[in-house]
């Protein structure tokens, strides 16, 4: 007896169609549930975005780490810097406090949560070589604007403080080097004076004194070093004093953060693409489930299932005892039982042939 | 006459028990349905179809129906691979239908010593039956219950103590079956389930033909194969698919040109 061979001319096996109609829920369920699940998961509240543009100018003491990269612009470099800052909890929490999302004296957990809110919504992108776009998304439009303002302010403050830190370090270094250079100059000058005192240069001397020339050269070199260090020290002092021309980078707000008036539009991919894909996937799963049930069903359901058994099919008796759920739980069920009991009583009318026993009970 | 009334009338006549007399529980199950429904009417047609199929699949001397002209009686066994497939219902319905349509004496014998289904269906639990006749405690006439007005008689499984396997292999069984055939045109034996009792093949060999009842959506092809293998020494007349139910709409069947 062959299991899954439909009779000739039967393109679609009857059992497959029967399975599809008897287990229709196996198809409908994934087709309905998959898109519903995707819609539920992809559904998000209205998001407001505050946008700002910032002009980025590299200062005289700008880092030279990216100068050799022709693709790297000042704006791109600052995008990376801002990304790095947003990755730090201190910066995020400082922004949150500045934006008024959380109080400065709030518990660490609250500040961390507010910082996460900042990190989740803030992003930056290079619009041009020197133009930086800052976008902050939030469920509330005013919070988005406040966070954007705070991000830019904190970014500027970090840039200034970094400049000041670098200037302080330079100042300290230059001062120490200048002290050492002054000492060297003083020593050279003293040695030259002592030599000159012992070996005065006679008027009308014919040739130069090599030792005198060496000492004089040493004094000149030390003087040059001291002059250079003094110049560098002056510049460092100016930088430490906050001269913008000496900052590593200057951030100037061109378009201040806007107050969004309408939520961001949901992308068409999210709105239609994902549910459509889920619908297709659900249909595939449903068809697969139906086909699996069909392949796994080895029961006899129709003439085709005993076609190869070598015995004829005498007939089929339709199911006559099947009731829908409505009939199973309604008075019809009680009525049917009563009728069956009646038939059972009447069936007792059989009498024994020998007449010794009565069939009636 | 409405469809409902016609269906009830047809069921009663089919059961061979008159219009207001005893109705076997199996036929009563038909009555429990909305009788004018397609399922009930199709059920009647199903039984009649089986009867018609029997007419063309029986051995040549038996083909010339009606039974009154048949040269000899016929013992038909009804079995199924598993319990609950509907073999007892089919045996009762077949006996009732044959009694009415052929007007001959039909004896329904419960040869399933395990379940005693026929006796229970007819309210004859605890009465003497075939096992008592085999044991020699009663005569066949004493354990045969005949209906007052119908040509149907019933022999229950009985309640004699003993090994059912030994009873099925008893040498007294063959003469008893011959006696039944001598007094009745058709002897319908309700046999045990093939896969649950080794008595079924033994008893099936005593019959002129065996009908195997399978339950749609329940009996597997493998079970049917095993049953047919166990019944290989018997004369299997064919298979009846019981409780067949289709959920495919008619328009879909027509659209796909699907055979029934």
């Amino acid at each position: 007896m062959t299991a899954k061979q439909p009779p000739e001319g039967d393109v679609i096996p009857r059992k497959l169609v029967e399975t599809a109609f008897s287990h229709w829920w196996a198809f409908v369920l994934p087709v309905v549930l998959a898109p519903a699940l995707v819609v539920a998961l992809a559904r998000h509240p209205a998001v407001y975005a505050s946008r700002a543009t910032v002009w980025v100018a590299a200062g005289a003491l700008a880092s030279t780490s990216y100068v050799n990269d022709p693709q790297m612009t000042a704006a791109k470099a600052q995008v990376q810097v801002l990304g790095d800052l947003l990755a730090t909890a201190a910066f995020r929490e400082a922004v949150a406090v500045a934006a008024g999302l959380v109080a400065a004296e709030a518990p660490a957990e609250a500040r961390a949560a507010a910082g996460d809110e900042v990190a989740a919504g803030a992003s930056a992108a290079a619009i041009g070589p020197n133009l930086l776009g800052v976008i902050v998304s939030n469920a509330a439009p005013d919070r988005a604007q406040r966070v954007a303002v705070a991000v830019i302010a904190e970014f500027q403050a970090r840039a200034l403080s970094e400049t000041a830190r670098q200037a302080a370090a330079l100042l300290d270094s230059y001062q120490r080097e200048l002290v050492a250079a002054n000492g060297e100059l003083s020593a050279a000058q003293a040695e030259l004076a002592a030599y000159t005192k012992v070996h005065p240069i006679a008027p009308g001397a014919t040739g130069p004194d090599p030792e005198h020339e060496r000492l004089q050269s040493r004094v000149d070199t030390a003087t040059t070093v001291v002059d250079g260090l003094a110049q560098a020290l002056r510049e460092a002092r100016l930088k430490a004093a906050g001269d913008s021309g000496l900052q590593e980078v200057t951030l100037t707000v061109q378009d201040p953060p806007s107050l969004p008036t309408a939520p961001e539009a949901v992308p068409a991919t999210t709105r239609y693409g994902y549910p459509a894909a889920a619908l297709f996937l659900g249909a595939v799963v449903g068809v697969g489930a139906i086909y699996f049930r069909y392949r796994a069903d080895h029961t006899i359901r129709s003439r085709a299932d005993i076609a190869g058994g070598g015995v004829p099919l005498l007939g089929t008796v339709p199911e006559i005892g099947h009731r829908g759920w409505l009939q199973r739980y309604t008075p019809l069920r009680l009525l049917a039982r009563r009728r069956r009991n009646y038939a059972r009583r009447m069936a007792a009318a059989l009498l024994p042939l020998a007449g010794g026993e009565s069939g009636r009970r | 006459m409405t469809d409902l009334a016609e269906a009830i009338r047809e069921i009663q006549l089919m059961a061979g028990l008159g219009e207001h007399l005893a109705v076997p529980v199996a036929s009563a199950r038909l009555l429990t349905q909305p009788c004018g429904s397609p399922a009930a009417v199709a059920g009647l047609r199903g039984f009649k179809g089986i009867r018609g199929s029997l007419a063309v699949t029986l051995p040549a001397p038996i083909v010339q129906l009606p039974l009154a002209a048949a040269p000899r009686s016929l013992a038909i066994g009804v079995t199924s691979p598993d319990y609950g497939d509907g073999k007892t219902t089919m045996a009762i319905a077949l006996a009732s239908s044959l009694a009415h349509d052929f007007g001959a004496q039909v004896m329904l014998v419960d040869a399933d010593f395990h379940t005693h289904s026929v006796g229970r269906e007819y309210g004859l639990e605890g009465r003497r039956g075939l096992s008592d006749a085999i044991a020699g405690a009663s005569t066949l006439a004493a354990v045969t219950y005949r209906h007052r007005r119908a040509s149907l008689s019933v022999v229950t499984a009985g309640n004699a103590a003993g090994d059912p396997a030994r009873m099925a292999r008893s040498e007294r069984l063959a003469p008893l079956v011959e006696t039944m055939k001598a007094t009745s045109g058709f002897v319908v034996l309700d046999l045990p389930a093939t896969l649950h009792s080794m008595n079924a093949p033994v008893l099936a060999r005593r019959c002129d033909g065996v009908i195997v009842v399978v339950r749609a959506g329940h009996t597997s092809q493998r079970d049917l194969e095993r049953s047919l293998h166990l019944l290989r020494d018997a004369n299997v007349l064919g298979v009846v698919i019981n409780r067949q139910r289709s959920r495919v709409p008619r328009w879909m069947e027509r659209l796909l040109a699907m055979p029934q």
Side-chain angles (χ1 to χ4, degrees):
Chain A
M1 184 178 293
T2 55
K4 298 291 177 189
Q5 291 181 354
E8 287 187 18
D10 193 6
V11 179
I12 301 176
R14 182 180 183 88
K15 183 182 275 189
L16 178 59
V17 183
E18 289 281 358
T19 305
F21 275 90
S22 59
H23 297 90
W24 56 269
W25 50 267
F27 176 78
V28 171
L29 222 57
V31 164
V32 172
L33 283 186
L37 195 64
V38 166
V39 168
L41 291 178
R43 186 180 179 184
H44 55 277
V47 173
Y48 295 87
S50 177
R51 292 177 170 80
T53 52
V54 178
W55 180 264
V56 179
L61 297 180
S63 171
T64 58
S65 61
Y66 60 87
V67 169
N68 295 329
D69 184 358
Q71 302 296 326
M72 183 60 76
T73 62
K76 286 182 180 176
Q78 293 312 306
V79 167
Q80 290 186 356
V81 171
L82 183 56
D84 292 344
L85 285 174
L86 284 170
T88 62
F91 182 79
R92 293 198 303 262
E93 292 179 10
V95 170
V97 170
L101 301 184
V102 66
E105 61 275 8
E109 293 80 7
R111 281 189 281 114
D116 291 342
E117 181 183 346
V118 170
S123 63
I127 301 174
N130 293 90
L131 206 56
L132 180 69
V134 176
I135 305 171
V136 175
S137 302
N138 201 290
D142 59 325
R143 287 168 77 92
Q145 187 188 32
R146 280 189 279 130
V147 170
V149 170
V151 164
I152 294 172
E154 285 296 315
F155 191 26
Q156 287 176 319
R158 295 299 167 114
L160 278 175
S161 65
E162 176 64 15
T163 302
R165 188 192 64 79
Q166 289 183 0
L170 281 173
L171 201 62
D172 180 60
S173 173
Y174 288 158
Q175 283 175 339
R176 281 189 277 107
E177 290 182 9
L178 187 59
V179 169
N182 280 328
E184 172 67 17
L185 178 59
S186 300
Q189 287 173 336
E191 192 174 355
L192 178 61
Y195 184 81
T196 306
K197 189 176 181 180
V198 176
H199 303 89
I201 300 173
T206 56
D209 184 354
E211 182 60 18
H212 183 269
E213 286 184 355
R214 186 188 66 80
L215 292 173
Q216 184 62 48
S217 173
R218 183 182 168 193
V219 169
D220 295 342
T221 302
T223 303
T224 305
V225 170
V226 168
D227 291 344
L229 286 172
Q231 176 64 26
L233 186 60
R234 280 194 297 275
E235 289 179 356
R237 281 177 176 153
L238 286 173
K239 187 176 181 181
D243 188 333
S244 61
L246 294 177
Q247 284 185 226
E248 185 175 5
V249 64
T250 304
L251 302 173
T252 308
V253 177
Q254 297 295 311
D255 299 321
S258 60
L259 178 64
T261 55
E264 293 290 289
V266 179
T269 306
T270 304
R271 187 185 292 269
Y272 304 110
Y274 292 158
L279 184 70
F280 177 74
L281 185 66
V284 170
V285 170
V287 169
I290 293 288
Y291 188 73
F292 176 77
R293 279 191 163 274
Y294 161 67
R295 295 295 300 181
D297 184 7
H298 297 294
T299 60
I300 296 169
R301 289 186 182 275
S302 65
R303 181 187 303 271
D305 297 323
I306 62 168
V311 291
L313 176 67
L314 299 178
T316 58
V317 180
E319 182 168 28
I320 51 181
H322 176 74
R323 297 176 182 85
W325 65 271
L326 189 63
Q327 286 179 307
R328 282 202 299 268
Y329 303 106
T330 59
L332 289 175
R333 173 67 172 164
L334 299 175
L335 180 63
R337 184 180 299 170
R338 183 178 177 184
R339 294 181 73 168
R340 187 164 64 250
N341 291 338
Y342 169 78
R344 186 183 179 84
R345 288 196 304 272
M346 295 306 291
L350 293 169
L351 292 175
L353 266 185
E357 292 183 87
S358 172
R360 192 176 300 278
R361 295 166 66 92
Chain B
M1 186 178 290
T2 64
D3 290 344
L4 176 64
E6 188 176 2
I8 294 174
R9 165 77 176 165
E10 196 166 3
I11 290 168
Q12 289 171 333
L13 291 177
M14 177 182 163
L17 300 172
E19 295 183 16
H20 53 278
L21 293 177
V23 179
V25 176
S27 297
R29 285 176 183 157
L30 295 175
L31 284 173
T32 62
Q33 303 305 305
C35 294
S37 68
V41 177
L44 294 172
R45 290 169 185 161
F47 284 123
K48 289 187 175 181
I50 296 162
R51 193 183 59 222
S53 299
L54 276 175
V56 296
T57 55
L58 289 175
I62 310 301
V63 173
Q64 289 80 19
L65 295 174
L67 187 68
R72 67 179 178 89
S73 300
L74 184 67
I76 302 171
V78 181
T79 185
S80 64
D82 200 355
Y83 287 114
D85 289 340
K87 63 179 176 57
T88 302
T89 304
M90 192 64 59
I92 292 173
L94 184 62
S96 301
S97 177
L98 289 171
H100 166 71
D101 289 341
F102 294 117
Q105 292 294 328
V106 179
M107 182 175 286
L108 176 62
V109 181
D110 189 357
D112 188 349
F113 303 113
H114 299 279
T115 61
H116 300 232
S117 301
V118 172
R120 189 168 58 250
E121 292 288 315
Y122 282 95
L124 298 172
E125 300 101 322
R127 303 303 174 89
R128 292 180 177 180
L130 182 61
S131 61
D132 299 284
I134 292 174
S138 301
T139 62
L140 179 61
V143 298
T144 302
Y145 298 86
R146 185 182 297 278
H147 193 270
R148 290 170 180 165
R149 301 183 187 179
S151 58
L152 176 69
S153 54
V154 176
V155 176
T156 66
N159 50 13
D163 182 16
R166 185 165 295 176
M167 281 188 239
R169 288 170 175 77
S170 171
E171 292 181 355
R172 293 182 181 178
L173 182 59
L176 277 175
V177 173
E178 290 304 320
T179 306
M180 293 172 190
K181 291 167 67 173
T183 57
S184 302
F186 280 107
V187 178
V188 179
L189 290 98
D190 181 22
L191 304 179
T194 314
L195 299 182
H196 289 269
S197 172
M198 287 308 296
N199 299 340
V202 176
L203 293 168
R205 284 199 295 271
R206 309 278 190 189
C207 303
D208 297 311
V210 176
I211 298 171
V212 180
V213 180
V214 297
R215 181 175 165 188
H218 183 266
T219 306
S220 67
Q221 291 165 326
R222 180 179 173 80
D223 284 350
L224 178 59
E225 286 177 9
R226 290 168 58 196
S227 297
L228 293 177
H229 177 72
L230 291 171
L231 296 171
R232 60 189 180 279
D233 294 332
N235 177 27
V236 178
L237 300 174
V239 177
V240 173
I241 300 177
N242 189 29
R243 300 182 67 172
Q244 191 187 42
R245 186 159 57 111
S246 175
R247 290 177 180 269
V248 183
R250 295 290 180 195
W251 62 267
M252 179 64 76
E253 290 181 345
R254 286 195 297 270
L255 186 68
L256 299 176
M258 293 194 319
Q260 290 292 322

